[in-house]
Amino acid sequence: MITFIELLVNGISIGAVYALIALGFVVIFKATEVVNFAHASLLLVGGFIIAKTHEALGFWAALLLGLAGAAVLGALIEFLVIRRANVVNHSVLAIVTIGVDIVLTTELTRQIGTEVLALGDPWGSEVLHLGAINIPLARIAALLAASAVIAAFLLAFKYTNWGVAMRATAEDAETAALMGVRRGRVSMGAWAVAGALAALAALFMCIFPTPGLDRTVTATAMKAFPAAILGGLDSTTGALAGGLIIGVTESLVGGYQGELVFLGRGSATSRRSS
């Protein structure tokens, strides 16, 4: 039972981080109807900025710089690449984002090399002991921070002018434009928000119990894409649900993998003996 609780808490915290990444996919899709395959590289950019600046600036200032840097890069991609592609077909624009991802990831992995970069987080390897249950503080921080950010995002999406404009654009872009909604501003804002969400997710993906930021982070980040698909690319609450499902499933399967293999071998042995 103790193992199950530890794995469940770990899975929920990982799922909340996946939900942050999945929200980035959803926000851009709702604003532009484009599937952004460059999202993992935005995550890598945010994490890289934090890793390279935390010693000079301190962790919290480096975190803010990482969030801002990824947000600005996202806005620049929308303004310089997506908006000027002059392509009507959204499938073609999705392919364009693959090209952007290749360029960014190639350069960043070249910069990182074989290093594993620490992000200087204040939680370190500390563990919270609740009786016989041991939970890393970094996982608790990830769960609390992701929950707060997701809640703030959902409230902003529902009640702010930006959120209303995005929902109107998602429902009927032409009518929204006739009503005075500036689609370019909505689109750029969506890319900036997605970049900031990706940078925050990078932090919690690269701290304890993982060793740090390395060149494989983009592949790990793409685990959130099935979460966005599972919840629906046009559903913000679906991204949250999809992230939690993927995170909890991954944690439980990984934790009980040895027992599942043992049971599988046992059943195979019994079939052969019979």
Side-chain angles (χ1 to χ4, degrees):
M1 187 63 182
I2 293 174
T3 301
F4 174 78
I5 294 174
E6 291 177 349
L7 291 174
L8 182 62
V9 173
N10 183 65
I12 292 174
S13 66
I14 295 173
V17 175
Y18 287 162
L20 285 175
I21 305 173
L23 269 178
F25 284 108
V26 171
V27 167
I28 291 176
F29 185 80
K30 287 181 75 69
T32 64
E33 296 185 359
V34 174
V35 180
N36 176 28
F37 289 106
H39 197 58
S41 60
L42 291 176
L43 184 145
L44 188 58
V45 167
F48 183 77
I49 293 174
I50 298 171
K52 286 296 185 179
T53 60
H54 74 86
E55 290 186 358
L57 302 178
F59 171 74
W60 297 108
L63 174 59
L64 292 176
L65 185 61
L67 296 175
V72 169
L73 179 61
L76 286 174
I77 291 172
E78 191 281 333
F79 184 74
L80 298 176
V81 180
I82 302 300
R83 192 179 302 188
R84 283 162 172 71
N86 292 324
V87 176
V88 178
N89 192 320
H90 294 118
S91 298
V92 176
L93 287 175
I95 296 173
V96 170
T97 65
I98 295 176
V100 172
D101 181 71
I102 292 172
V103 172
L104 292 175
T105 302
T106 300
E107 177 57 25
L108 285 168
T109 53
R110 187 185 69 82
Q111 293 287 335
I112 295 171
T114 58
E115 293 183 86
V116 178
L117 305 177
L119 275 70
D121 65 285
W123 306 287
S125 57
E126 295 184 34
V127 176
L128 177 66
H129 302 283
L130 299 174
I133 300 173
N134 301 313
I135 305 171
L137 283 181
R139 292 301 188 197
I140 298 175
L143 177 58
L144 294 177
S147 300
V149 170
I150 291 171
F153 172 84
L154 293 177
L155 289 173
F157 188 73
K158 186 173 182 180
Y159 295 110
T160 66
N161 292 335
W162 173 78
V164 172
M166 180 173 290
R167 285 187 284 122
T169 301
E171 288 292 332
D172 192 327
E174 292 184 2
T175 303
L178 291 173
M179 296 296 293
V181 174
R182 301 180 65 175
R183 293 181 59 185
R185 182 176 297 178
V186 170
S187 177
M188 182 181 291
W191 278 81
V193 168
L197 292 174
L200 183 62
L203 167 67
F204 292 113
M205 289 185 67
C206 300
I207 58 177
F208 185 79
T210 56
L213 179 76
D214 60 21
R215 59 199 305 168
T216 65
V217 168
T218 52
T220 305
M222 288 306 292
K223 292 180 182 179
F225 185 65
I229 297 297
L230 182 63
L233 271 173
D234 60 347
S235 173
T236 51
T237 53
L240 172 60
L244 291 175
I245 291 172
I246 296 294
V248 171
T249 302
E250 179 185 9
S251 179
L252 292 178
V253 171
Y256 289 112
Q257 186 174 10
E259 297 182 22
L260 294 173
V261 171
F262 177 77
L263 290 174
R265 289 176 179 174
S267 61
T269 302
S270 63
R271 285 198 299 268
R272 285 198 298 270
S273 61
S274 62

